[in-house]
Amino acid sequence: MAQRINEHGQPIGVEVPNWTGCDRPGDAPMEGRFCRVERLNPERHGADLFDAFNHDQTGQLWTYMPVGPFVDDRAGFDAWLAEAALSPDPLFHAIIDAQTGQAVGVASYLRIAPQAGTIEVGFIAFSPLLQRTPLATEAMFLMMKRVFAELGYRRYEWKCDALNAPSKRAAERLGFTYDGAFEQALVYKGRNRDTAWFSILDRDWPRIEAGFDTWLAPENFDEQGQQRQSLAALMS
């Protein structure tokens, strides 16, 4: 695409015709084959989530989170969950195992900017019951699909501590592109955080959606539930 030049001879960005912004994410649950993603409700999800998170007795799940750990600390966990449920941004969701009906993790939309068409997925806490399962992948796909297919956002972001290697690998597996690092971006838990930035743009969505659809299809899993094709291969 040729660079646009204004009347002063200065380069300017591509035109975004008829842009009116986006709506904020609504409250309707996101339904999949393996999971359901719904607004966080402490009364409905609290006991399940506390049990699921306490399958990790080391507390390492919370190392790169601004809160926790909550190992065997039900009062502290409930206090945080109550606060999280009231927050409009981050907008917290629970991830429900479709087979058991149990809440097994949380994720949120945050830095929601409808006028700019940008939104982030973050504050992702997957319990050991959710990690490395099709549920986890599908939950991320459902949240992504709402952003692009339903609401028409232009940019979907993922940010994490630059030292959090598993989060960075997860972002790339899910189709995010690494944008760079902001050094000394935050202080949390008494330590510095350099923040790694990743994004998916709306122009990438058709290719990424096709990759998820193929990976999540029943025929991509054998009788033991093992994948036949990896998501990373389908995204490339």
Side-chain angles (χ1 to χ4, degrees), residues 172-175 207 215 227 229-236:
E172 291 174 341
R173 174 179 175 269
L174 294 169
R207 171 182 58 82
W215 190 84
Q227 65 179 4
Q229 297 184 82
S230 72
L231 185 61
L234 292 167
M235 291 294 185
S236 63

Side-chain angles (χ1 to χ4, degrees), residues 173-184:
R173 174 179 175 269
L174 294 169
F176 287 83
T177 297
Y178 179 62
D179 293 330
F182 280 26
E183 296 185 349
Q184 297 188 190

Side-chain angles (χ1 to χ4, degrees), residues 92-113:
F92 281 90
H93 291 71
I95 300 167
I96 314 298
D97 185 327
Q99 283 195 326
T100 66
Q102 181 181 359
V104 289
V106 298
S108 76
Y109 294 121
L110 67 159
R111 302 186 189 278
I112 303 167

Side-chain angles (χ1 to χ4, degrees), residues 66-197:
V67 299
F70 297 111
V71 178
D72 298 326
D73 179 11
R74 182 62 190 270
F77 181 76
D78 284 350
W80 168 70
L81 207 67
E83 181 180 342
L86 294 175
S87 169
D89 189 342
L91 186 65
F92 281 90
H93 291 71
I95 300 167
I96 314 298
D97 185 327
Q99 283 195 326
T100 66
Q102 181 181 359
V104 289
V106 298
S108 76
Y109 294 121
L110 67 159
R111 302 186 189 278
I112 303 167
Q115 286 187 320
T118 64
I119 189 170
E120 180 181 341
V121 61
F123 221 117
I124 299 166
F126 287 175
S127 77
L129 301 180
L130 181 57
Q131 295 168 12
R132 298 181 178 274
T133 68
L135 283 75
T137 300
E138 186 178 56
M140 292 294 94
F141 171 58
L142 291 172
M143 294 184 73
M144 196 182 299
K145 187 174 183 178
R146 170 153 292 178
V147 163
F148 287 119
E150 295 181 27
L151 298 174
Y153 278 76
R154 304 176 63 234
R155 177 181 171 88
Y156 192 48
E157 298 178 337
W158 176 297
K159 303 186 187 84
C160 63
D161 191 311
L163 298 176
N164 187 351
S167 182
K168 295 192 322 188
R169 287 195 299 270
E172 291 174 341
R173 174 179 175 269
L174 294 169
F176 287 83
T177 297
Y178 179 62
D179 293 330
F182 280 26
E183 296 185 349
Q184 297 188 190
L186 294 171
V187 175
Y188 74 124
K189 293 184 173 177
R191 63 181 189 256
N192 176 66
R193 174 173 135 164
D194 298 342
T195 297
W197 285 52

Side-chain angles (χ1 to χ4, degrees), residues 10-31:
Q10 299 165 310
I12 58 174
V14 298
E15 186 178 9
V16 184
N18 304 315
W19 175 254
T20 59
C22 305
D23 290 331
R24 286 178 53 87
D27 292 339
M30 294 166 263
E31 302 277 355

